[in-house]
Amino acid sequence: MTKQYKTLGEFIIENQDSFKYSSGELSRLLNGLRLAAKVVNHEVNKAGLVDILGEAGDQNIQGENQQKLDVLANEKFIQTLKKREIVCGIASEEEDDFISINSFDNQHQNKYVVLIDPLDGSSNIDVNVSVGTIFSIYRRVTPVGTPVTIEDFLQPGVNQIAAGYIIYGTSTMLVYTTGDGVNGFTLNPALGTFYLSHPNMSFPENGNIYSVNEGNYVHFPQGVKDYIKYCQKEEDDRPYTSRYIGSLVSDFHRNMIKGGIYMYPKSSVASEGKLRLLYECNPMAFIAEQANGLASDGKNRIMEVKPTELHQRVPFFCGSRNMVEKAEEFMKNANA
Ligand code: P6P
């Protein structure tokens, strides 16, 4: 008798009533993201075969060359959310400014805004390394029925209603939280259905994996250097294993299952690090905390950082509780 796994659709409906804001709108929103994920997954999986590799010729606001798949993924998620009139606004890594969504009969009646990194780790696309989509959902703070403003997007991470990621890896998974734990769903490509394969995901309190681009070592603050050397010392439970894919979603996902810490520190060449607060760090921090992990900027809880700009960057330390706390201890001592 093969085990019957619950589908993502069934899970969303079952949990809708437990969600304190349950109006069905969040369920429709999550189902919209599920659909877009399947479309993008199809394109990612055939990327090597169709002329969608390589640069689209444009650059995004970060000054990064946009890969065609970046552009395609961005379009697919925005189209899906717009067409279904599920949200009143969208912000994306690939868009300079936020998008206010209004249609004649909708008049901004929806209450959610979504912030998204449509294809994170896109520099890995051409070398066939896994990439991901990251999303973050908030209730708008300005009055329903009016156009959204930047204030609806510049909310601290603690205000998030839901957050999640899709990892396009050896299998495609959708992992998300609405504040009641973290659940992972694996896509059966033959059926086009996501099944609950990883219920109640949780970071092991300790881990032995550290993920950081050590090519930047000489530019790191002393406390980060000290922590990396601690990870390499032959004593107690160390040396740890260094694993760095260069794709946040992939490094995060592996560390959540096996135990580990992901670090993208500030440095002398990147004063605030590289990762974006609103559509990379906050959603991953929400998931991390819901999975008994931690996420900080090296000193403060990421989800309490008050955003000031849509694309602002922040140093990021995220993963197993004890490892993040140890890294913070080294940074505190170095500054003492
Ligand atoms: P570096 C991908 O561009 C990304 O935003 C994350 O997914 C990844 O962890 C990081 O940047 C890699 O950056 O500077 O180490 O190549």
Side-chain angles (χ1 to χ4, degrees), residues 38-280:
K38 287 193 248 184
V39 172
V40 170
N41 175 64
H42 178 69
E43 298 301 333
V44 166
N45 285 344
K46 67 178 184 179
L49 299 174
V50 181
D51 178 28
I52 52 176
L53 287 180
E55 296 164 9
D58 299 334
Q59 288 201 336
N60 63 17
I61 190 172
Q62 325 298 342
E64 296 164 345
N65 291 326
Q66 284 189 306
Q67 302 274 353
K68 288 181 181 176
L69 262 180
D70 266 347
V71 176
L72 181 143
N74 187 49
E75 287 169 3
K76 291 300 176 194
F77 276 97
I78 290 174
Q79 275 168 11
T80 304
L81 295 173
K82 265 185 168 177
K83 206 177 295 177
R84 291 172 156 228
E85 295 183 356
I86 310 169
V87 295
C88 56
I90 302 173
S92 168
E93 182 195 38
E94 304 300 337
E95 301 288 333
D96 295 356
D97 201 354
F98 65 85
I99 300 166
S100 179
I101 295 178
N102 178 31
S103 63
F104 180 72
D105 54 349
N106 181 286
Q107 295 306 316
H108 305 291
Q109 289 308 311
N110 296 314
K111 57 175 174 286
Y112 294 124
V113 296
V114 176
L115 298 99
I116 193 163
D117 183 355
L119 209 60
D120 179 74
S122 53
S123 56
N124 291 304
I125 294 169
D126 289 357
V127 294
N128 205 14
V129 168
S130 54
V131 292
T133 297
I134 307 172
F135 62 87
S136 173
I137 301 170
Y138 291 84
R139 291 166 70 85
R140 67 180 299 176
V141 293
T142 54
V144 172
T146 63
V148 291
T149 71
I150 188 65
E151 290 316 306
D152 292 307
F153 298 94
L154 298 184
Q155 299 187 51
V158 289
N159 290 3
Q160 288 176 99
I161 294 295
Y165 59 82
I166 298 105
I167 177 170
Y168 309 100
T170 46
S171 63
T172 295
M173 282 190 69
L174 189 151
V175 176
Y176 82 100
T177 182
T178 57
D180 186 21
V182 177
N183 291 283
F185 300 80
T186 299
L187 180 67
N188 178 332
L191 303 177
T193 304
F194 282 99
Y195 289 91
L196 178 60
S197 53
H198 297 66
N200 304 311
M201 298 184 80
S202 180
F203 275 96
E205 201 165 7
N206 287 305
N208 69 352
I209 297 171
Y210 70 102
S211 307
V212 65
N213 184 341
E214 295 190 60
N216 298 325
Y217 179 86
V218 295
H219 303 298
F220 287 151
Q222 190 55 46
V224 174
K225 291 179 178 175
D226 295 343
Y227 178 65
I228 290 173
K229 286 306 167 201
Y230 166 84
C231 292
Q232 294 167 345
K233 269 206 177 78
E234 297 262 355
E235 61 187 31
D236 301 333
D237 56 351
R238 286 158 292 128
Y240 292 154
T241 294
S242 172
R243 285 285 184 276
Y244 191 69
I245 300 172
S247 174
L248 168 61
V249 171
S250 307
D251 282 314
F252 179 100
H253 187 75
R254 180 207 51 243
N255 290 351
M256 181 158 65
I257 292 171
K258 291 182 176 280
I261 182 173
Y262 171 95
M263 299 181 278
Y264 209 103
K266 65 182 180 183
S267 70
S268 53
V269 291
S271 61
E272 291 305 317
K274 175 183 182 184
L275 299 189
R276 292 81 168 177
L277 173 63
L278 290 180
Y279 40 77
E280 290 176 334

